[in-house]
Amino acid sequence: MSVEKTLAMIKPDALERGKQGLIIDRILTNGFKITAMKQMRLTRVQAEAFYKEHAERPFFDSLCSYMTSGPIIALVMEKENAIKDWRDLMGATDPTEADAGTIRKDFAESKERNSSHGSDSPQSAHREVPFFFSQLER
Ligand code: UDP
Ligand code: MG
């Protein structure tokens, strides 16, 4: 295992319900160091670019509408094995399939409105961290 950085987002549904503080508390309690964090509202062009790997999927249009419906919080988080550990802490994409105690189980509203994002591989983290943060910020 090595110290990694991963890109997380707290998604619009969680901010809409004021859950961002509880989610950040779980991040810190689980040993992640937050090295950068900002709240912003994505433009349609930014949401489409971020999720471009899903451009051909049937949920893409709805996903991009949801992701631009309100502010998100983007975070760079650092820890040993951060990429997989954050995926595990989030739980499955669909909250009905997520394990007990995971963020999506406890906070998500639906498979789309699932409260959080995490890079799914070192390659994704390498693309997603600089999508949000310049070298000086992270
Ligand atoms: N999503 C959706 N319907 C689906 C699959 C995904 O609305 O059938 C949304 C959901 O918000 C998910 C995002 O698209 O988090 C990206 O999908 P991905 O398969 O990459 O899931 P993740 O990596 O976020 O678990
Ligand atoms: Mg994904």
Side-chain angles (χ1 to χ4, degrees), residues 65-90:
S65 296
Y66 153 60
M67 288 301 296
T68 56
S69 67
I72 59 103
I73 295 173
L75 312 95
V76 180
M77 313 193 311
E78 186 178 87
K79 130 191 218 310
E80 280 217 345
N81 216 26
I83 296 167
K84 182 176 187 304
D85 285 1
W86 174 236
R87 297 284 302 186
D88 289 348
L89 186 59
M90 285 199 300

Side-chain angles (χ1 to χ4, degrees), residues 1-8 32-36 75-87 117-130 133-138:
M1 287 204 297
S2 59
V3 175
E4 293 174 333
K5 286 183 174 166
T6 192
L7 188 281
F32 293 87
K33 191 170 131 195
I34 297 172
T35 66
L75 312 95
V76 180
M77 313 193 311
E78 186 178 87
K79 130 191 218 310
E80 280 217 345
N81 216 26
I83 296 167
K84 182 176 187 304
D85 285 1
W86 174 236
R87 297 284 302 186
H117 167 85
S119 307
D120 66 5
S121 65
Q123 291 77 4
S124 308
H126 198 75
R127 180 181 83 87
E128 292 176 1
V129 168
F133 297 98
S134 77
Q135 199 141 21
L136 289 174
E137 291 173 315
R138 63 204 198 227

